[in-house]
Amino acid sequence: MNKSQLLLIFQKTQGHCHFCGDPLEFEKRGWCEGDLTGYWEIDHIIPRAKEGAPSIDNCLPACTMCNRLRWHRSGQEVRDLLQLGLIARDEVEKNSALGQALLTKKEQRLAKNARRRRKARA
């Protein structure tokens, strides 16, 4: 997509992620190492894998983190993740054994993702 098409998509939500509502910066697109604050990607409302069109009408801006978390998941899968996430957050806040185990799993997952990204760039 060209810059004017990207701007039309960006302006649909006044420069905010359509998932979480955080502000986005137009020039910060895609992925970067480190702080992703303000970075955004195009989210296809109807995913391309489900025959969604690559047109501007089928696109909204999403912060990179939300878009990568949603990825190809269905609405029900996203709702399940949110519900489980709330339960996990409560366990972490209570500092329970389960909460501590979840934090360990989170760190392992982030490290694995970072290794995968480094390998893909190499």
Side-chain angles (χ1 to χ4, degrees):
M1 292 197 173
N2 64 41
K3 193 169 185 169
S4 63
Q5 291 170 315
L6 291 171
L7 189 57
L8 288 172
I9 293 167
F10 186 81
Q11 291 173 336
K12 285 183 178 186
T13 60
Q14 292 77 45
H16 290 81
C17 173
H18 84 98
F19 289 113
C20 68
D22 282 355
L24 307 169
E25 296 179 40
F26 182 72
E27 298 300 328
K28 290 183 171 182
R29 280 201 52 246
W31 183 267
C32 74
E33 290 295 325
D35 185 9
L36 286 168
T37 302
Y39 277 81
W40 68 287
E41 298 176 329
I42 295 170
D43 177 52
H44 292 83
I45 300 162
I46 300 172
R48 290 178 288 178
K50 294 183 178 179
E51 308 300 321
S55 67
I56 292 172
D57 292 337
N58 188 41
C59 296
L60 287 171
C63 70
T64 299
M65 290 302 293
C66 283
N67 199 44
R68 300 287 173 108
L69 290 170
R70 177 181 176 232
W71 199 20
H72 63 280
R73 293 176 175 90
S74 69
Q76 185 58 52
E77 289 171 319
V78 172
R79 285 186 291 278
D80 289 345
L81 287 171
L82 290 170
Q83 289 171 338
L84 287 169
L86 291 172
I87 294 166
R89 184 205 57 203
D90 291 347
E91 292 300 317
V92 168
E93 286 178 356
K94 289 191 286 187
N95 201 26
S96 69
L98 176 58
Q100 292 304 308
L102 289 168
L103 286 174
T104 299
K105 288 286 189 189
K106 176 185 173 187
E107 292 304 316
Q108 290 170 346
R109 176 76 176 256
L110 291 173
K112 181 180 175 183
N113 289 348
R115 286 191 303 274
R116 181 179 39 82
R117 281 188 212 99
R118 280 193 299 272
K119 186 177 178 182
R121 282 194 313 265

